[in-house]
Coordinates of all heavy atoms in Angstrom, one line a residue:
D1107 N 51.9 29.3 -115.1 CA 51.7 30.4 -114.4 C 50.2 30.7 -114.0 O 49.9 31.1 -112.9 CB 52.4 31.7 -115.0 CG 53.9 31.7 -115.0 OD1 54.4 31.2 -114.0 OD2 54.5 32.1 -115.9
C1108 N 49.4 30.4 -115.0 CA 48.0 30.7 -114.8 C 47.4 29.6 -113.8 O 46.5 30.0 -113.1 CB 47.2 30.7 -116.1 SG 47.5 32.2 -117.2
L1109 N 47.9 28.4 -113.9 CA 47.5 27.4 -112.9 C 47.9 27.8 -111.5 O 47.2 27.6 -110.5 CB 48.0 26.0 -113.3 CG 47.3 25.3 -114.4 CD1 48.1 24.1 -114.8 CD2 45.9 24.9 -114.1
F1110 N 49.1 28.4 -111.4 CA 49.5 28.9 -110.1 C 48.7 30.0 -109.7 O 48.2 30.0 -108.4 CB 51.0 29.3 -110.2 CG 51.5 30.2 -109.0 CD1 51.7 29.6 -107.8 CD2 51.6 31.6 -109.1 CE1 52.2 30.3 -106.8 CE2 52.0 32.3 -108.1 CZ 52.3 31.7 -106.9
L1111 N 48.4 31.0 -110.4 CA 47.6 32.1 -110.1 C 46.1 31.6 -109.7 O 45.5 32.1 -108.7 CB 47.4 33.1 -111.2 CG 48.7 33.9 -111.5 CD1 48.4 34.8 -112.7 CD2 49.1 34.8 -110.3
L1112 N 45.7 30.6 -110.5 CA 44.3 30.1 -110.1 C 44.3 29.5 -108.7 O 43.4 29.7 -107.9 CB 43.9 29.0 -111.2 CG 42.7 28.3 -110.9 CD1 41.5 29.2 -111.1 CD2 42.6 27.1 -111.9
S1113 N 45.4 28.7 -108.4 CA 45.4 28.1 -107.1 C 45.5 29.1 -105.9 O 45.0 28.9 -104.8 CB 46.5 27.1 -107.0 OG 47.8 27.7 -107.1
Q1114 N 46.1 30.2 -106.2 CA 46.2 31.3 -105.3 C 44.8 32.0 -105.1 O 44.6 32.6 -104.0 CB 47.3 32.4 -105.7 CG 48.7 31.8 -105.8 CD 49.2 31.3 -104.5 OE1 49.2 31.9 -103.5 NE2 49.6 30.0 -104.5
L1115 N 44.0 32.1 -106.1 CA 42.8 32.7 -105.9 C 41.6 31.9 -105.3 O 40.7 32.4 -104.8 CB 42.3 33.3 -107.4 CG 43.1 34.4 -108.0 CD1 42.7 34.6 -109.5 CD2 43.0 35.6 -107.1
L1116 N 41.8 30.6 -105.4 CA 40.8 29.7 -104.9 C 40.8 29.5 -103.4 O 41.2 28.4 -103.0 CB 40.9 28.3 -105.7 CG 40.7 28.3 -107.2 CD1 40.9 26.9 -107.8 CD2 39.3 28.8 -107.5
V1117 N 40.5 30.5 -102.7 CA 40.6 30.5 -101.3 C 39.3 30.8 -100.5 O 39.3 30.9 -99.3 CB 41.8 31.4 -100.8 CG1 43.1 30.9 -101.2 CG2 41.4 32.8 -101.3
D1118 N 38.2 30.9 -101.3 CA 36.9 31.2 -100.6 C 35.8 30.6 -101.5 O 36.0 30.3 -102.7 CB 36.7 32.6 -100.4 CG 36.7 33.4 -101.7 OD1 35.9 33.3 -102.6 OD2 37.7 34.2 -101.8
V1119 N 34.7 30.3 -100.9 CA 33.6 29.6 -101.6 C 33.1 30.4 -102.8 O 32.9 29.8 -103.9 CB 32.4 29.4 -100.6 CG1 31.2 28.8 -101.3 CG2 32.9 28.3 -99.6
P1120 N 32.8 31.7 -102.8 CA 32.3 32.4 -103.9 C 33.3 32.3 -105.1 O 32.8 32.2 -106.2 CB 32.2 33.9 -103.4 CG 32.0 33.8 -101.9 CD 32.9 32.6 -101.5
T1121 N 34.6 32.4 -104.9 CA 35.5 32.4 -106.0 C 35.5 30.9 -106.6 O 35.6 30.8 -107.8 CB 36.9 32.8 -105.5 OG1 36.9 34.1 -104.9 CG2 37.8 32.8 -106.7
I1122 N 35.5 29.9 -105.8 CA 35.5 28.6 -106.2 C 34.2 28.3 -107.0 O 34.3 27.7 -108.1 CB 35.6 27.6 -105.1 CG1 37.0 27.7 -104.4 CG2 35.3 26.2 -105.5 CD1 37.2 26.9 -103.1
Q1123 N 33.1 28.8 -106.5 CA 31.8 28.6 -107.3 C 31.9 29.3 -108.7 O 31.5 28.8 -109.6 CB 30.7 29.2 -106.5 CG 29.3 28.9 -107.1 CD 29.0 27.4 -107.3 OE1 29.1 26.7 -106.3 NE2 28.7 27.0 -108.5
Q1124 N 32.5 30.6 -108.7 CA 32.6 31.3 -109.9 C 33.5 30.5 -110.9 O 33.1 30.3 -112.1 CB 33.2 32.6 -109.7 CG 33.4 33.5 -111.0 CD 34.0 34.8 -110.7 OE1 34.5 35.1 -109.6 NE2 34.2 35.6 -111.7
A1125 N 34.6 29.9 -110.4 CA 35.5 29.2 -111.2 C 34.8 27.9 -111.8 O 35.0 27.5 -113.0 CB 36.7 28.7 -110.5
I1126 N 34.1 27.3 -111.0 CA 33.3 26.0 -111.4 C 32.2 26.4 -112.5 O 32.1 25.7 -113.4 CB 32.6 25.4 -110.2 CG1 33.7 24.7 -109.3 CG2 31.6 24.2 -110.7 CD1 33.2 24.1 -108.1
D1127 N 31.6 27.5 -112.2 CA 30.6 28.0 -113.2 C 31.2 28.3 -114.6 O 30.5 28.2 -115.6 CB 29.8 29.2 -112.7 CG 28.9 28.9 -111.5 OD1 28.6 27.7 -111.3 OD2 28.6 29.9 -110.7
M1128 N 32.5 28.7 -114.6 CA 33.2 28.9 -115.8 C 33.8 27.8 -116.4 O 34.5 27.9 -117.5 CB 34.2 30.1 -115.6 CG 33.6 31.4 -115.1 SD 35.0 32.7 -114.9 CE 35.4 32.9 -116.6
G1129 N 33.6 26.6 -115.8 CA 34.1 25.4 -116.4 C 35.5 25.0 -116.1 O 36.2 24.3 -116.9
I1130 N 36.0 25.3 -114.9 CA 37.3 25.0 -114.6 C 37.6 23.5 -114.3 O 38.7 23.0 -114.5 CB 37.8 25.9 -113.3 CG1 39.3 25.8 -113.2 CG2 37.1 25.4 -112.1 CD1 40.1 26.2 -114.4
L1131 N 36.6 22.8 -113.8 CA 36.8 21.4 -113.3 C 37.2 20.5 -114.5 O 38.3 19.8 -114.3 CB 35.5 20.9 -112.7 CG 35.1 21.6 -111.4 CD1 34.0 20.8 -110.7 CD2 36.3 21.7 -110.4

Side-chain angles (χ1 to χ4, degrees):
D1107 286 327
C1108 285
L1109 284 169
F1110 165 75
L1111 288 176
L1112 177 67
S1113 66
Q1114 297 299 304
L1115 291 172
L1116 297 176
V1117 293
D1118 56 67
V1119 171
T1121 305
I1122 292 173
Q1123 185 61 53
Q1124 182 185 3
I1126 291 175
D1127 292 341
M1128 296 183 67
I1130 192 59
L1131 297 185

